[in-house]
Amino acid sequence: MEGLIDSIGGLLNGLFALAAGGFDSVNQVTGLIIALIAALMMGGWRGLGGSALGAVIVDRLIMMLRPMLDGGALVLPDIMTLSFWMTCLALFLGYAIAIAIFFFIKTLLTGRAFRSRRYAH
């Protein structure tokens, strides 16, 4: 039983380290702008996962096209490697944290934080 608890603790520790690394890479000007736009476009808390996924896709596209703007060649990422997908997972967790913070501030400023939605039928 103690080995199971140690394994779960190691897994959670690795996940938190991955989220911290992703948040560090999101915490740049480009990443913060992407997260802010995603938070402004998000309609509710249920859209957090989709917004974070969209932010990762936009981030990877920007990083892929940025060398072309500097006069270089288009370099496609190697999507068949584990490092690419671990980077995407770290970015997903980082964007989810940043978008959640921005969306929470948005809901506080607009007064929609704890108000229930009413739909007319």
Side-chain angles (χ1 to χ4, degrees):
M1 185 66 171
E2 199 169 301
L4 178 66
I5 293 174
D6 290 339
S7 297
I8 292 172
L11 177 71
L12 290 176
N13 194 15
L15 193 61
F16 289 140
L18 193 62
F23 186 70
D24 285 343
S25 32
V26 168
N27 202 8
Q28 307 295 323
V29 174
T30 307
L32 290 176
I33 291 172
I34 292 170
L36 181 63
I37 291 171
L40 290 174
M41 292 175 59
M42 199 166 79
W45 285 105
R46 290 184 183 192
L48 181 61
S51 295
L53 181 63
V56 170
I57 292 170
V58 169
D59 183 86
R60 293 292 87 195
L61 285 173
I62 289 173
M63 291 304 145
M64 185 178 69
L65 295 175
R66 184 177 278 174
M68 283 181 48
L69 298 175
D70 294 332
L74 175 67
V75 179
L76 296 175
D78 190 11
I79 63 170
M80 298 302 286
T81 60
L82 182 63
S83 64
F84 172 79
W85 293 108
M86 291 302 287
T87 302
C88 287
L89 177 61
L91 284 172
F92 177 80
L93 294 173
Y95 274 117
I97 294 168
I99 291 170
I101 291 169
F102 284 138
F103 187 72
F104 181 70
I105 292 170
K106 174 188 159 186
T107 57
L108 287 177
L109 292 177
T110 59
R112 292 185 45 210
F114 303 107
R115 191 176 349 157
S116 64
R117 289 189 171 178
R118 297 184 188 243
Y119 296 105
H121 293 301

